[in-house]
Amino acid sequence: MEKLRISATGRRKTSVARAILVDGNGAFTINGLDIAAYLKRAPLVEHAREALSVTEMAGKVSVVCRTSGGGLTGQAGAVRLAVARALTRLNEDFRKPLRHGGLLTRDPREVERKKYGRPKARKRFQYSKR
């Protein structure tokens, strides 16, 4: 019997994650650590696991992720997208519920660059009439 090994890439802000689905008992590791130990906050853990709960695959496959760049929130979003993409490669029937939940859409928001002559990207220095 062939072993299950499906990989996919996800991105969010400046974070990049590569998720690999393998046969297993539902273990979820990111950069060699358990997901709860790596992401530290429960909402981020739920966010990253969302694709598994929508497709009811939690506990049926194990997920191994490598992620880099950005912060924990961006990395959690990148992991979520990577897992969702890997699940669609596993079973095309998962595409509809994942799409309906908005899990296959890459979040396009990025940090806006700082402009010269301003203190931040959009903020302006205080105007003084007199």
Short mmCIF file of all heavy atoms in Angstrom, two decimals, residues 29-83:
data_model
loop_
_atom_site.label_atom_id
_atom_site.label_comp_id
_atom_site.label_asym_id
_atom_site.label_seq_id
_atom_site.Cartn_x
_atom_site.Cartn_y
_atom_site.Cartn_z
N THR A 29 2.56 19.23 13.75
CA THR A 29 3.81 19.86 14.17
C THR A 29 4.19 20.99 13.22
O THR A 29 3.96 20.90 12.01
CB THR A 29 4.96 18.84 14.24
OG1 THR A 29 5.14 18.27 12.94
CG2 THR A 29 4.68 17.74 15.23
N ILE A 30 4.76 22.04 13.79
CA ILE A 30 5.28 23.17 13.02
C ILE A 30 6.73 23.37 13.44
O ILE A 30 7.01 23.56 14.63
CB ILE A 30 4.47 24.45 13.28
CG1 ILE A 30 3.02 24.25 12.90
CG2 ILE A 30 5.06 25.61 12.49
CD1 ILE A 30 2.12 25.44 13.20
N ASN A 31 7.64 23.32 12.50
CA ASN A 31 9.08 23.47 12.75
C ASN A 31 9.57 22.55 13.87
O ASN A 31 10.35 22.95 14.73
CB ASN A 31 9.42 24.93 13.07
CG ASN A 31 9.25 25.85 11.87
OD1 ASN A 31 9.05 25.39 10.75
ND2 ASN A 31 9.31 27.13 12.09
N GLY A 32 9.06 21.34 13.89
CA GLY A 32 9.49 20.34 14.86
C GLY A 32 8.83 20.42 16.22
O GLY A 32 9.09 19.58 17.07
N LEU A 33 7.99 21.41 16.46
CA LEU A 33 7.29 21.55 17.74
C LEU A 33 5.81 21.26 17.55
O LEU A 33 5.27 21.43 16.46
CB LEU A 33 7.44 22.97 18.29
CG LEU A 33 8.83 23.44 18.70
CD1 LEU A 33 8.79 24.91 19.06
CD2 LEU A 33 9.33 22.63 19.88
N ASP A 34 5.15 20.86 18.65
CA ASP A 34 3.70 20.71 18.62
C ASP A 34 3.06 22.07 18.30
O ASP A 34 3.60 23.11 18.68
CB ASP A 34 3.21 20.20 19.98
CG ASP A 34 1.71 20.00 19.99
OD1 ASP A 34 1.23 19.17 19.20
OD2 ASP A 34 1.03 20.69 20.77
N ILE A 35 1.93 22.06 17.61
CA ILE A 35 1.30 23.30 17.16
C ILE A 35 1.01 24.26 18.33
O ILE A 35 1.22 25.46 18.22
CB ILE A 35 0.02 23.02 16.34
CG1 ILE A 35 -0.53 24.31 15.76
CG2 ILE A 35 -1.00 22.26 17.14
CD1 ILE A 35 -1.64 24.12 14.77
N ALA A 36 0.54 23.72 19.46
CA ALA A 36 0.21 24.57 20.61
C ALA A 36 1.47 25.18 21.21
O ALA A 36 1.46 26.33 21.66
CB ALA A 36 -0.55 23.78 21.66
N ALA A 37 2.57 24.43 21.21
CA ALA A 37 3.83 24.94 21.75
C ALA A 37 4.42 26.00 20.83
O ALA A 37 5.04 26.97 21.30
CB ALA A 37 4.82 23.80 21.95
N TYR A 38 4.23 25.85 19.52
CA TYR A 38 4.83 26.80 18.57
C TYR A 38 4.03 28.09 18.48
O TYR A 38 4.58 29.18 18.55
CB TYR A 38 4.96 26.16 17.18
CG TYR A 38 5.70 27.03 16.21
CD1 TYR A 38 7.09 27.07 16.20
CD2 TYR A 38 5.02 27.84 15.30
CE1 TYR A 38 7.78 27.88 15.34
CE2 TYR A 38 5.71 28.66 14.43
CZ TYR A 38 7.09 28.67 14.45
OH TYR A 38 7.77 29.49 13.59
N LEU A 39 2.70 27.98 18.30
CA LEU A 39 1.87 29.18 18.11
C LEU A 39 1.50 29.88 19.41
O LEU A 39 1.11 31.05 19.39
CB LEU A 39 0.61 28.83 17.30
CG LEU A 39 0.87 28.42 15.86
CD1 LEU A 39 -0.43 28.04 15.18
CD2 LEU A 39 1.56 29.52 15.07
N LYS A 40 1.56 29.16 20.54
CA LYS A 40 1.39 29.72 21.88
C LYS A 40 0.00 30.20 22.25
O LYS A 40 -0.40 30.10 23.39
CB LYS A 40 2.39 30.87 22.14
CG LYS A 40 3.84 30.43 22.09
CD LYS A 40 4.77 31.59 22.31
CE LYS A 40 6.21 31.16 22.27
NZ LYS A 40 6.73 30.93 20.94
N ARG A 41 -0.77 30.76 21.33
CA ARG A 41 -2.09 31.30 21.65
C ARG A 41 -3.18 30.42 21.03
O ARG A 41 -3.12 30.06 19.85
CB ARG A 41 -2.23 32.74 21.14
CG ARG A 41 -1.23 33.68 21.79
CD ARG A 41 -1.57 35.14 21.61
NE ARG A 41 -1.69 35.59 20.25
CZ ARG A 41 -0.67 36.04 19.51
NH1 ARG A 41 0.54 36.09 20.02
NH2 ARG A 41 -0.87 36.46 18.27
N ALA A 42 -4.21 30.13 21.83
CA ALA A 42 -5.29 29.23 21.38
C ALA A 42 -6.00 29.70 20.11
O ALA A 42 -6.28 28.88 19.23
CB ALA A 42 -6.30 29.03 22.51
N PRO A 43 -6.31 31.01 19.94
CA PRO A 43 -6.97 31.42 18.70
C PRO A 43 -6.12 31.16 17.45
O PRO A 43 -6.67 30.81 16.40
CB PRO A 43 -7.19 32.93 18.88
CG PRO A 43 -7.16 33.16 20.35
CD PRO A 43 -6.22 32.12 20.90
N LEU A 44 -4.80 31.28 17.57
CA LEU A 44 -3.93 31.00 16.42
C LEU A 44 -3.91 29.50 16.11
O LEU A 44 -3.89 29.10 14.95
CB LEU A 44 -2.51 31.49 16.70
CG LEU A 44 -2.33 33.00 16.80
CD1 LEU A 44 -0.86 33.34 17.05
CD2 LEU A 44 -2.82 33.71 15.54
N VAL A 45 -3.95 28.68 17.16
CA VAL A 45 -3.98 27.22 16.97
C VAL A 45 -5.28 26.83 16.26
O VAL A 45 -5.26 26.05 15.29
CB VAL A 45 -3.84 26.49 18.32
CG1 VAL A 45 -4.04 24.99 18.15
CG2 VAL A 45 -2.49 26.77 18.94
N GLU A 46 -6.40 27.38 16.70
CA GLU A 46 -7.70 27.10 16.06
C GLU A 46 -7.69 27.57 14.61
O GLU A 46 -8.21 26.89 13.72
CB GLU A 46 -8.82 27.81 16.81
CG GLU A 46 -9.13 27.23 18.18
CD GLU A 46 -10.12 28.07 18.96
OE1 GLU A 46 -10.92 28.78 18.32
OE2 GLU A 46 -10.08 28.01 20.20
N HIS A 47 -7.10 28.75 14.38
CA HIS A 47 -7.03 29.32 13.02
C HIS A 47 -6.26 28.37 12.09
O HIS A 47 -6.69 28.10 10.97
CB HIS A 47 -6.34 30.69 13.10
CG HIS A 47 -6.38 31.46 11.83
ND1 HIS A 47 -7.54 32.01 11.32
CD2 HIS A 47 -5.40 31.78 10.95
CE1 HIS A 47 -7.26 32.63 10.19
NE2 HIS A 47 -5.98 32.51 9.93
N ALA A 48 -5.12 27.87 12.55
CA ALA A 48 -4.29 26.98 11.72
C ALA A 48 -4.96 25.62 11.49
O ALA A 48 -4.80 25.02 10.43
CB ALA A 48 -2.92 26.80 12.37
N ARG A 49 -5.73 25.14 12.47
CA ARG A 49 -6.40 23.83 12.37
C ARG A 49 -7.74 23.88 11.65
O ARG A 49 -8.36 22.85 11.42
CB ARG A 49 -6.65 23.26 13.76
CG ARG A 49 -5.45 22.72 14.47
CD ARG A 49 -5.92 22.11 15.78
NE ARG A 49 -4.83 21.69 16.60
CZ ARG A 49 -4.36 20.44 16.66
NH1 ARG A 49 -4.92 19.50 15.96
NH2 ARG A 49 -3.36 20.14 17.45
N GLU A 50 -8.22 25.06 11.30
CA GLU A 50 -9.58 25.24 10.78
C GLU A 50 -9.88 24.36 9.57
O GLU A 50 -10.97 23.79 9.46
CB GLU A 50 -9.82 26.72 10.44
CG GLU A 50 -11.25 27.05 10.21
CD GLU A 50 -11.49 28.54 10.01
OE1 GLU A 50 -10.56 29.33 10.23
OE2 GLU A 50 -12.61 28.89 9.63
N ALA A 51 -8.95 24.22 8.66
CA ALA A 51 -9.19 23.42 7.45
C ALA A 51 -9.45 21.96 7.81
O ALA A 51 -10.29 21.30 7.18
CB ALA A 51 -8.00 23.53 6.50
N LEU A 52 -8.75 21.45 8.82
CA LEU A 52 -8.96 20.05 9.23
C LEU A 52 -10.34 19.86 9.86
O LEU A 52 -10.99 18.85 9.63
CB LEU A 52 -7.87 19.62 10.21
CG LEU A 52 -6.47 19.47 9.64
CD1 LEU A 52 -5.47 19.24 10.76
CD2 LEU A 52 -6.42 18.35 8.63
N SER A 53 -10.79 20.85 10.65
CA SER A 53 -12.10 20.71 11.29
C SER A 53 -13.24 20.85 10.29
O SER A 53 -14.25 20.16 10.41
CB SER A 53 -12.24 21.71 12.43
OG SER A 53 -12.10 23.02 11.96
N VAL A 54 -13.09 21.72 9.29
CA VAL A 54 -14.13 21.90 8.27
C VAL A 54 -14.33 20.63 7.46
O VAL A 54 -15.45 20.24 7.16
CB VAL A 54 -13.79 23.10 7.34
CG1 VAL A 54 -14.65 23.10 6.09
CG2 VAL A 54 -13.97 24.41 8.09
N THR A 55 -13.22 19.95 7.14
CA THR A 55 -13.30 18.73 6.33
C THR A 55 -13.41 17.47 7.18
O THR A 55 -13.46 16.36 6.64
CB THR A 55 -12.06 18.60 5.42
OG1 THR A 55 -10.89 18.63 6.25
CG2 THR A 55 -12.01 19.72 4.41
N GLU A 56 -13.43 17.61 8.51
CA GLU A 56 -13.53 16.49 9.44
C GLU A 56 -12.39 15.48 9.27
O GLU A 56 -12.59 14.28 9.40
CB GLU A 56 -14.90 15.81 9.32
CG GLU A 56 -16.04 16.75 9.66
CD GLU A 56 -17.40 16.17 9.34
OE1 GLU A 56 -17.47 15.02 8.85
OE2 GLU A 56 -18.40 16.87 9.56
N MET A 57 -11.20 15.98 8.98
CA MET A 57 -10.03 15.13 8.80
C MET A 57 -9.12 15.15 10.03
O MET A 57 -8.09 14.47 10.04
CB MET A 57 -9.23 15.57 7.57
CG MET A 57 -9.90 15.25 6.26
SD MET A 57 -10.11 13.49 5.96
CE MET A 57 -8.45 12.99 5.61
N ALA A 58 -9.49 15.93 11.06
CA ALA A 58 -8.68 15.98 12.28
C ALA A 58 -8.65 14.59 12.91
O ALA A 58 -9.69 13.95 13.08
CB ALA A 58 -9.26 16.99 13.25
N GLY A 59 -7.47 14.09 13.21
CA GLY A 59 -7.32 12.76 13.79
C GLY A 59 -7.12 11.67 12.75
O GLY A 59 -6.77 10.54 13.11
N LYS A 60 -7.34 11.97 11.48
CA LYS A 60 -7.19 10.95 10.43
C LYS A 60 -5.85 11.07 9.71
O LYS A 60 -5.33 10.09 9.19
CB LYS A 60 -8.33 11.07 9.42
CG LYS A 60 -9.69 10.79 10.04
CD LYS A 60 -10.80 10.97 9.04
CE LYS A 60 -12.15 10.78 9.72
NZ LYS A 60 -13.26 11.14 8.84
N VAL A 61 -5.31 12.30 9.64
CA VAL A 61 -4.01 12.53 9.01
C VAL A 61 -3.15 13.35 9.96
O VAL A 61 -3.65 14.11 10.78
CB VAL A 61 -4.12 13.26 7.65
CG1 VAL A 61 -4.80 12.40 6.62
CG2 VAL A 61 -4.82 14.58 7.79
N SER A 62 -1.85 13.19 9.84
CA SER A 62 -0.91 14.02 10.59
C SER A 62 -0.38 15.09 9.66
O SER A 62 -0.24 14.87 8.45
CB SER A 62 0.24 13.18 11.13
OG SER A 62 -0.23 12.30 12.11
N VAL A 63 -0.07 16.26 10.23
CA VAL A 63 0.42 17.39 9.45
C VAL A 63 1.79 17.78 9.96
O VAL A 63 2.00 17.95 11.16
CB VAL A 63 -0.54 18.59 9.55
CG1 VAL A 63 -0.05 19.74 8.71
CG2 VAL A 63 -1.95 18.20 9.13
N VAL A 64 2.73 17.91 9.04
CA VAL A 64 4.08 18.38 9.36
C VAL A 64 4.30 19.66 8.56
O VAL A 64 4.17 19.66 7.33
CB VAL A 64 5.15 17.33 8.98
CG1 VAL A 64 6.53 17.84 9.30
CG2 VAL A 64 4.87 16.02 9.68
N CYS A 65 4.61 20.76 9.25
CA CYS A 65 4.79 22.05 8.59
C CYS A 65 6.17 22.61 8.84
O CYS A 65 6.73 22.45 9.92
CB CYS A 65 3.77 23.07 9.10
SG CYS A 65 2.17 22.91 8.36
N ARG A 66 6.68 23.29 7.82
CA ARG A 66 7.88 24.12 7.96
C ARG A 66 7.44 25.52 7.59
O ARG A 66 6.82 25.73 6.55
CB ARG A 66 8.99 23.67 7.01
CG ARG A 66 9.49 22.27 7.25
CD ARG A 66 10.30 22.10 8.50
NE ARG A 66 11.46 22.97 8.52
CZ ARG A 66 12.18 23.23 9.61
NH1 ARG A 66 11.84 22.70 10.77
NH2 ARG A 66 13.22 24.02 9.55
N THR A 67 7.75 26.49 8.45
CA THR A 67 7.33 27.85 8.17
C THR A 67 8.45 28.82 8.51
O THR A 67 9.29 28.54 9.37
CB THR A 67 6.03 28.20 8.93
OG1 THR A 67 5.63 29.51 8.60
CG2 THR A 67 6.20 28.08 10.42
N SER A 68 8.46 29.95 7.80
CA SER A 68 9.49 30.95 8.04
C SER A 68 8.95 32.32 7.65
O SER A 68 7.99 32.43 6.90
CB SER A 68 10.74 30.64 7.22
OG SER A 68 10.44 30.71 5.84
N GLY A 69 9.58 33.35 8.17
CA GLY A 69 9.23 34.72 7.84
C GLY A 69 8.05 35.24 8.62
O GLY A 69 7.20 34.48 9.08
N GLY A 70 8.00 36.54 8.82
CA GLY A 70 6.88 37.18 9.49
C GLY A 70 6.78 36.84 10.96
O GLY A 70 7.75 36.40 11.59
N GLY A 71 5.58 37.00 11.52
CA GLY A 71 5.34 36.70 12.92
C GLY A 71 4.40 35.52 13.06
O GLY A 71 4.06 34.86 12.08
N LEU A 72 3.96 35.27 14.28
CA LEU A 72 3.13 34.10 14.54
C LEU A 72 1.78 34.18 13.83
O LEU A 72 1.28 33.17 13.33
CB LEU A 72 2.91 33.93 16.04
CG LEU A 72 4.12 33.48 16.85
CD1 LEU A 72 3.76 33.34 18.32
CD2 LEU A 72 4.67 32.17 16.31
N THR A 73 1.16 35.37 13.79
CA THR A 73 -0.15 35.49 13.14
C THR A 73 -0.05 35.20 11.65
O THR A 73 -0.86 34.46 11.08
CB THR A 73 -0.72 36.91 13.36
OG1 THR A 73 -0.76 37.17 14.75
CG2 THR A 73 -2.11 37.04 12.77
N GLY A 74 0.96 35.76 10.99
CA GLY A 74 1.16 35.50 9.56
C GLY A 74 1.49 34.05 9.29
O GLY A 74 1.00 33.45 8.33
N GLN A 75 2.28 33.44 10.17
CA GLN A 75 2.64 32.05 10.00
C GLN A 75 1.43 31.14 10.19
O GLN A 75 1.26 30.16 9.47
CB GLN A 75 3.77 31.66 10.95
CG GLN A 75 5.10 32.25 10.54
CD GLN A 75 6.25 31.82 11.41
OE1 GLN A 75 6.06 31.12 12.40
NE2 GLN A 75 7.45 32.25 11.05
N ALA A 76 0.57 31.48 11.15
CA ALA A 76 -0.65 30.69 11.35
C ALA A 76 -1.55 30.76 10.12
O ALA A 76 -2.11 29.74 9.69
CB ALA A 76 -1.41 31.18 12.58
N GLY A 77 -1.67 31.93 9.51
CA GLY A 77 -2.46 32.08 8.29
C GLY A 77 -1.85 31.32 7.12
O GLY A 77 -2.57 30.73 6.31
N ALA A 78 -0.52 31.33 7.03
CA ALA A 78 0.16 30.60 5.96
C ALA A 78 -0.03 29.09 6.13
O ALA A 78 -0.27 28.37 5.15
CB ALA A 78 1.64 30.96 5.95
N VAL A 79 0.05 28.62 7.36
CA VAL A 79 -0.15 27.18 7.64
C VAL A 79 -1.58 26.79 7.28
O VAL A 79 -1.81 25.75 6.67
CB VAL A 79 0.16 26.87 9.13
CG1 VAL A 79 -0.35 25.49 9.51
CG2 VAL A 79 1.65 26.98 9.38
N ARG A 80 -2.54 27.62 7.63
CA ARG A 80 -3.95 27.35 7.34
C ARG A 80 -4.18 27.19 5.84
O ARG A 80 -4.84 26.25 5.39
CB ARG A 80 -4.79 28.50 7.88
CG ARG A 80 -6.25 28.44 7.54
CD ARG A 80 -6.92 29.69 8.06
NE ARG A 80 -8.26 29.82 7.53
CZ ARG A 80 -8.96 30.93 7.55
NH1 ARG A 80 -8.47 32.02 8.07
NH2 ARG A 80 -10.17 30.96 7.05
N LEU A 81 -3.62 28.09 5.03
CA LEU A 81 -3.77 28.02 3.58
C LEU A 81 -3.06 26.79 3.02
O LEU A 81 -3.61 26.10 2.14
CB LEU A 81 -3.24 29.30 2.92
CG LEU A 81 -3.32 29.37 1.41
CD1 LEU A 81 -4.77 29.25 0.93
CD2 LEU A 81 -2.71 30.66 0.90
N ALA A 82 -1.87 26.50 3.52
CA ALA A 82 -1.12 25.34 3.03
C ALA A 82 -1.86 24.04 3.32
O ALA A 82 -1.96 23.16 2.45
CB ALA A 82 0.27 25.31 3.67
N VAL A 83 -2.43 23.91 4.52
CA VAL A 83 -3.18 22.69 4.89
C VAL A 83 -4.43 22.57 4.02
O VAL A 83 -4.76 21.48 3.54
CB VAL A 83 -3.52 22.69 6.39
CG1 VAL A 83 -4.49 21.57 6.72
CG2 VAL A 83 -2.26 22.57 7.23
#
